[in-house]
Amino acid sequence: SQTIHQWPATLVQPVGSPLSLECTVEGTSNPNLYWYRQAAGRGLQLLFYSVGIGQISSEVPQNLSASRPQDRQFILSSKKLLLSDSGFYLCAWSILTNTIYNEQFFGPGTRLTVL
Amino acid sequence: GEDVEQSLFLSVREGDSSVINCTYTDSSSTYLYWYKQEPGAGLQLLTYIFSNMDMKQDQRLTVLLNKKDKHLSLRIADTQTGDSAIYFCAETSFGNEKLTFGTGTRLTIIP
């Protein structure tokens, strides 16, 4: 069966510090991978998605970046965090040809607080 | 771009029915979903409907789709305390690698 891991679960970082959040998927090959941010009262915002190794699509301009160094690994980074980067970060995967088209499976999330 | 809207909050008495509404703008939407997010956790798919369907029922859940008005609803019968969560609707079209999510509706159950 497939599982998705995210770490760390919580993170408190000062403004201006770097960030690295990691997401890994087990039990599937060549998944689509997604990074979302959930801020209070603002729903779920798609930040990046990837359809393959080294292929990253950015959805919103910001000081974050994403990388996919391996098939089942997706990393979200920042060189200098802003207060507005605080939120709940969710990683998800999908296989478009699954029985339910583009059903996305979410990780447990990382709660980031920037002080 | 595509837009999906939901009201932010809904309170319902235990045992009553809950109806969560969603409107979307993309007329090419092919698949519409309801996801559930329990506190501090990721989202899980609750149910889905294809755009060529009007209604889908799954135990206590009923999904209604009005394609003409681009309106989707989720009805939860006999609402229980375990139904407390944030409910997101989402839509996509065939061939699209992305889902567009709504803002989420926080459902609170009143004992």
Side-chain angles (χ1 to χ4, degrees), chain A residues 2-20:
Chain A
Q2 302 91 358
T3 54
I4 178 169
H5 304 279
Q6 282 186 249
W7 65 90
T10 59
L11 193 57
V12 180
Q13 292 283 95
V15 169
S17 63
L19 173 74
S20 180

Side-chain angles (χ1 to χ4, degrees), chain A residues 34 38 43 59 101-102 104, chain B residues 33 35 37 95-98:
Chain A
Y34 305 84
Q38 184 177 17
E59 289 298 295
Y101 179 81
N102 206 359
Q104 296 194 3
Chain B
Y33 313 82
Y35 280 79
Q37 183 185 31
N96 191 344
E97 292 127 350
K98 301 181 291 182

